[in-house]
Amino acid sequence: MMFEDLFNFVLVGVFLSAVTSSVIPKSPSNTRPIDRPLSDENHFEDDEHNIEYDHDAFLGKDEARSFDQLTPAESARRLGIIYEKIDEDRNGLVTEEELGKWIRHIQKKQVEKEANTQWLEHLANQHLESSSELRWSDYLKRTYGSTDEELENHDDPEHLENDNKDAVMRDRRRWDLADIDQNGQLTKEEFTYFVHPEEAVHTRNVVIEETLEDIDKDHDGFISLKEYIDDTVDDEDGEEIDPAWIADEEEDFREELDKNGDGKLDREEIEAWVMPNDYHSLIEEAKHLISEADSDKDGFLTKSEVVEKYELFVGSQATDYGELLSKHDEF
């Protein structure tokens, strides 16, 4: 049984046996892709590269935690198997490009895993089979509650007059864009586009719309420097803001985000900001890993170099745990 199959099997069992009145999920339209880094860990701690960030980027957050429970010998052995997957041309030398592709692969698996978890929660709550499609009415009831009579009139969210109206309208817009066959229901693949619209061409534009709705207070279709700073300050939960930090944010706006130098962000610049081409960050992480593990400094990684530096890539604890991963045939 492959890892993804085992993961899905376990999740189905857990959620179908759980109490159906599970925690009400948050609307996915409340977050932006720029807020989803390669790791929840800080990339740097006291100007030192954080090795936990590297583990998450290389393995994914959940797998990194699992590897932490393995003995050093077992961790190194399984890393050797991963190396063979990264080395696409099987020449025994992993390049920056191959390592960057692997990190992107892990990133996409995290997106699919998050969407799959939410998908199974919704199906379990409605006592639906794992192959079912999710109806808008079922999503609406579970996410926003079914006691409000207006929420029951789910086919016309324009009539909602409660505090959830804006969120429901945003979710419905995402839903309709993700619904490729326009049958009013979402397959698991379509639900992934609903949760992560940045992952598909036909849904990416809604992220720009949502960003403008959140930040463009004068509704001119652009994000000014003031609007950008105000939004950034709002994210700081009322803490006192260091003027030097604001100055750095203003410099980032002018030097990095405002490409044409007109003092505001247009739709193209907003897209580059909230849905950046992650190639640069992936290659930078790949370069860092290679520089740390490339003992002969030839710009490539051999299997022995990676395994020798296993703690850089996967970490390990000298314990007797790791039973879950031990059951996966791929290892």
Side-chain angles (χ1 to χ4, degrees):
M1 182 180 291
M2 295 297 290
F3 175 75
E4 289 82 2
D5 296 331
L6 176 61
F7 176 77
N8 289 337
F9 175 78
V10 171
L11 278 180
V12 170
V14 170
F15 288 124
L16 290 181
S17 63
V19 178
T20 57
S21 57
S22 53
V23 176
I24 301 301
K26 291 174 60 178
S27 166
S29 60
N30 290 331
T31 60
R32 302 174 198 148
I34 193 66
D35 298 325
R36 304 184 188 109
L38 294 175
S39 171
D40 293 334
E41 301 285 342
N42 292 326
H43 202 169
F44 293 89
E45 295 282 359
D46 298 325
D47 295 327
E48 294 290 331
H49 205 99
N50 182 6
I51 200 168
E52 297 297 331
Y53 181 98
D54 295 332
H55 296 170
D56 290 350
F58 185 76
L59 290 171
K61 289 175 279 191
D62 293 337
E63 279 293 274
R65 300 296 84 78
S66 297
F67 263 82
D68 285 343
Q69 306 306 317
L70 300 176
T71 64
E74 181 63 9
S75 184
R77 184 184 74 82
R78 298 184 187 191
L79 178 57
I81 296 173
I82 292 175
Y83 177 92
E84 294 173 0
K85 296 180 179 181
I86 300 173
D87 184 20
E88 291 183 336
D89 57 12
R90 302 292 188 268
N91 70 345
L93 297 172
V94 163
T95 65
E96 284 180 5
E97 183 178 0
E98 287 175 326
L99 192 51
K101 284 182 178 179
W102 172 259
I103 296 172
R104 175 54 180 157
H105 166 70
I106 293 299
Q107 192 178 47
K108 286 182 71 67
K109 279 181 64 176
Q110 287 291 117
V111 165
E112 293 167 359
K113 189 173 182 180
E114 176 186 337
N116 188 56
T117 299
Q118 294 186 38
W119 168 260
L120 292 172
E121 287 177 337
H122 281 290
L123 295 190
N125 188 260
Q126 300 299 324
H127 304 288
L128 298 173
E129 298 294 332
S130 59
S131 60
S132 299
E133 293 188 345
L134 182 64
R135 296 177 301 182
W136 167 251
S137 59
D138 293 332
Y139 168 81
L140 192 63
K141 287 179 182 178
R142 180 164 187 266
T143 306
Y144 295 99
S146 59
T147 57
D148 189 317
E149 182 178 350
E150 289 178 319
L151 280 176
E152 289 296 313
N153 296 325
H154 52 79
D155 288 330
D156 190 7
E158 285 284 359
H159 289 113
L160 296 175
E161 298 296 339
N162 53 42
D163 293 338
N164 288 326
K165 178 177 178 178
D166 289 342
V168 172
M169 292 288 291
R170 283 166 69 125
D171 280 3
R172 186 55 192 258
R173 180 174 55 193
R174 278 195 182 202
W175 188 280
D176 291 341
L177 288 171
D179 184 13
I180 297 174
D181 58 10
Q182 293 296 296
N183 69 345
Q185 304 179 97
L186 298 188
T187 64
K188 185 166 74 169
E189 179 184 6
E190 290 170 335
F191 185 76
T192 300
Y193 302 146
F194 170 70
V195 176
H196 288 284
E198 74 279 5
E199 292 294 319
V201 174
H202 67 285
T203 50
R204 284 176 64 88
N205 192 60
V206 75
V207 181
I208 302 173
E209 296 294 338
E210 291 172 354
T211 303
L212 282 167
E213 290 166 359
D214 290 339
I215 305 178
D216 178 24
K217 302 304 181 183
D218 61 9
H219 306 294
D220 67 347
F222 300 92
I223 294 177
S224 66
L225 173 60
K226 182 179 185 305
E227 289 169 334
Y228 172 79
I229 295 297
D230 287 346
D231 177 71
T232 306
V233 171
D234 282 346
D235 289 340
E236 297 302 313
D237 299 323
E239 296 180 7
E240 184 175 349
I241 306 300
D242 183 354
W245 180 83
I246 293 181
D248 287 341
E249 291 295 314
E250 291 176 343
E251 182 178 0
D252 284 344
F253 181 93
R254 296 189 179 98
E255 301 296 327
E256 302 295 333
L257 303 182
D258 183 16
K259 303 296 185 183
N260 61 13
D262 65 355
K264 56 190 178 183
L265 304 185
D266 57 28
R267 296 181 68 89
E268 183 176 344
E269 291 166 331
I270 293 169
E271 179 177 7
W273 168 41
V274 297
M275 295 180 288
N277 181 342
D278 54 13
Y279 178 80
H280 177 72
S281 62
L282 298 180
I283 290 298
E284 285 301 308
E285 178 64 15
K287 285 181 177 178
H288 163 71
L289 292 172
I290 289 177
S291 69
E292 292 292 322
D294 182 19
S295 57
D296 61 9
K297 304 304 178 185
D298 65 350
F300 304 98
L301 291 181
T302 64
K303 186 175 181 178
S304 61
E305 286 174 330
V306 170
V307 172
E308 183 178 344
K309 287 280 192 175
Y310 74 90
E311 289 185 334
L312 172 68
F313 293 92
V314 300
S316 177
Q317 298 281 344
T319 71
D320 295 325
Y321 297 120
E323 294 181 8
L324 179 61
L325 283 175
S326 297
K327 296 175 182 177
H328 298 167
D329 293 341
E330 64 179 309
F331 288 109

